[in-house]
């Protein structure tokens, strides 16, 4: 093969360097009785090439010959950039037009909780909910949850589908009232099966062919719930047993379909610039979605 303009038989060497495979003829070097090893150059030849290069006489040719003697082929910056470009392959995420879908409502999911506590969000901040989570943790270990990042486009700008607890809506920002579609897994249930079950329950069975793709993020919680829930995209050094683990997956929609949402929830499509870097309004998980999907090439369908 020809590499860097030099014909050579190659084998791969360490450190990403191409090493030329040479075979000696067994002759003595300079009558000194020393067998010449592959790639070895004596001191006199090195000095001669260096002196010739400093005087400007045949510097390029001698340098190329020197690289051949040492068995090293060098790549220029342009060649390296071409290799880097070829190694970067973006996955395409096809975003359907939101106008291709219809939206309906169904019976509330948490009517009894809303009647007693006012809203599901209020209940999740209560002491009784925190005690229930503590009891479940002692029985089953860390709570396992999944969520879906579902994107559509409107006028060729990406929008994220979110569920909003209508009863918990206030004039002040309330990140607990917003959530990605998903929820808690049952014991022994796989993450993808559990996420499909949650999507059918909260977004309707008409879109039963949910295409659950790559995992985007993993978040952990150190508390059982209540007012001071904090989520981290890593396990802090001082934590030995996270209380909850939330994995976020990208979910691809069919080109068209129908959503059926419980009446105590509202399905909202928000543009990415609305949620980007806004953890105080939408929470850290939603606010991080624009960064996590930036690895995809977005293709807007008609």
């Amino acid at each position: 093969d020809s590499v860097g303009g030099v014909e050579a038989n190659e084998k791969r060497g360490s450190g990403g360097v191409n090493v030329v495979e040479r075979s000696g003829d067994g002759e003595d070097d300079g009558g000194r009785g020393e067998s010449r090893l592959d790639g070895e150059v004596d001191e006199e030849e090195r000095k001669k090439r260096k002196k010739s290069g400093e005087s400007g006489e045949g510097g390029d040719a001698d340098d190329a010959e020197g690289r051949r003697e040492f068995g090293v082929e060098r790549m220029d910056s342009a060649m390296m950039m071409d290799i880097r470009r070829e190694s970067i392959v973006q996955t395409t995420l096809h975003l359907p037009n939101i106008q291709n879908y219809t939206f309906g409502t169904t019976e509330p999911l948490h009517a009894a909780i809303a009647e007693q506590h006012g809203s599901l969000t209020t209940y999740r901040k209560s002491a009784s909910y925190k005690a229930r989570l503590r009891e479940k943790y002692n029985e089953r270990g860390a709570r396992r949850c999944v969520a879906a990042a579902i994107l559509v486009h409107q006028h060729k700008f990406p929008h994220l589908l979110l569920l909003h607890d209508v009863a918990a809506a206030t004039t002040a920002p309330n990140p607990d009232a917003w959530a990605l579609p998903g929820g808690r897994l049952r014991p022994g249930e796989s993450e993808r099966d559990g996420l499909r079950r949650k999507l059918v329950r909260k977004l309707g069975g008409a879109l039963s062919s949910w295409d659950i793709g790559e995992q985007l993020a993993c978040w952990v919680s150190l508390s059982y719930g209540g007012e001071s829930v904090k989520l981290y995209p890593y396990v802090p050094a001082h934590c030995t047993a996270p209380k909850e683990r939330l994995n976020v997956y990208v979910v691809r929609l069919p080109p068209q379909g129908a959503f059926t949402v419980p009446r105590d929830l509202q399905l909202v499509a928000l543009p990415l610039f609305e949620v980007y870097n806004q953890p105080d309004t939408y929470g850290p998980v939603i606010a991080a979605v624009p960064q996590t999907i930036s690895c995809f090439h977005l293709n807007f369908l008609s």
Side-chain angles (χ1 to χ4, degrees):
D1 296 332
S2 176
V3 180
V6 179
E7 298 291 337
N9 294 321
E10 296 178 352
K11 65 180 180 180
R12 178 64 57 188
S14 60
V17 179
N18 293 328
V19 179
V20 179
E21 198 172 43
R22 298 171 49 113
S23 58
D25 53 10
E27 295 181 357
D28 290 344
D29 186 14
R32 294 176 297 180
E34 298 176 0
S35 178
R36 193 180 171 97
L37 299 177
D38 291 347
E40 183 181 3
V41 181
D42 60 32
E43 188 67 24
E44 183 178 350
E45 291 177 347
R46 285 198 295 268
K47 290 180 178 179
K48 183 178 180 181
R49 283 197 301 271
K50 183 177 179 182
K51 183 178 180 180
S52 176
E54 290 175 352
S55 63
E57 298 175 358
D60 294 340
D62 289 342
D63 185 56
E65 179 64 25
R67 290 199 298 271
R68 282 195 292 269
E69 287 290 341
F70 280 103
V72 176
E73 297 294 341
R74 296 182 182 179
M75 294 184 181
D76 58 20
S77 59
M79 294 174 63
M80 291 298 296
M81 288 300 296
D82 290 340
I83 292 175
R84 290 172 182 172
R85 290 192 191 99
E86 292 176 0
S87 65
I88 299 173
V89 179
Q90 279 190 309
T91 302
T92 299
L93 184 60
H94 300 287
L95 305 188
N97 194 324
I98 194 173
Q99 296 182 356
N100 295 342
Y101 299 89
T102 60
F103 301 86
T105 59
T106 186
E107 294 298 321
L109 281 181
H110 310 285
I113 292 177
E115 183 178 352
Q116 183 178 357
H117 297 275
S119 69
L120 179 64
T121 301
T122 304
Y123 168 65
R124 286 176 175 170
K125 292 183 177 181
S126 64
S128 59
Y129 179 72
K130 186 174 182 178
R132 181 171 175 268
L133 290 182
R134 185 187 296 272
E135 180 182 353
K136 294 295 183 181
Y137 177 81
N138 294 332
E139 293 177 1
R140 305 172 182 174
R143 175 184 171 110
R144 300 186 304 129
C145 299
V146 287
I150 306 174
L151 286 99
V152 295
H153 84 87
Q154 187 174 24
H155 307 301
K156 295 187 177 181
F157 197 87
H159 286 59
L160 179 65
L161 295 185
L162 301 175
L163 289 174
H164 186 219
D165 188 350
V166 180
T170 60
T171 56
N174 186 7
D176 295 323
W178 296 92
L180 294 172
R184 178 181 58 84
L185 298 176
R186 294 170 178 170
E189 187 176 35
S190 70
E191 294 187 351
R192 294 179 182 273
D193 290 343
L195 184 53
R196 287 190 184 94
R197 176 177 60 83
K198 287 294 184 180
L199 292 175
V200 170
R201 186 185 183 200
K202 295 184 178 180
L203 298 183
L207 295 173
S208 57
S209 59
W210 297 102
D211 183 5
I212 300 175
E214 299 85 343
Q215 181 177 338
L216 295 181
C218 177
W219 297 81
V220 297
S221 173
L222 310 184
S223 62
Y224 295 104
E227 295 287 347
S228 58
V229 176
K230 289 185 178 180
L231 292 170
Y232 298 85
Y234 57 89
V235 179
H238 65 277
C239 176
T240 57
K243 304 304 184 291
E244 179 179 330
R245 186 179 298 272
L246 170 65
N247 289 337
V248 181
Y249 290 86
V250 62
V251 174
R252 295 170 172 84
L253 290 176
Q256 57 186 7
F259 291 97
T260 305
V261 184
R263 283 197 295 269
D264 52 350
L265 297 174
Q266 181 183 18
L267 185 62
V268 182
L270 289 180
L272 290 187
F273 68 79
E274 179 74 21
V275 301
Y276 171 65
N277 202 26
Q278 296 293 329
D280 294 337
T281 303
Y282 301 103
V285 177
I286 295 174
V289 170
Q291 290 98 319
T292 56
I293 67 162
S294 63
C295 61
F296 291 94
H297 168 70
L298 303 182
N299 179 40
F300 304 109
L301 303 178
S302 59

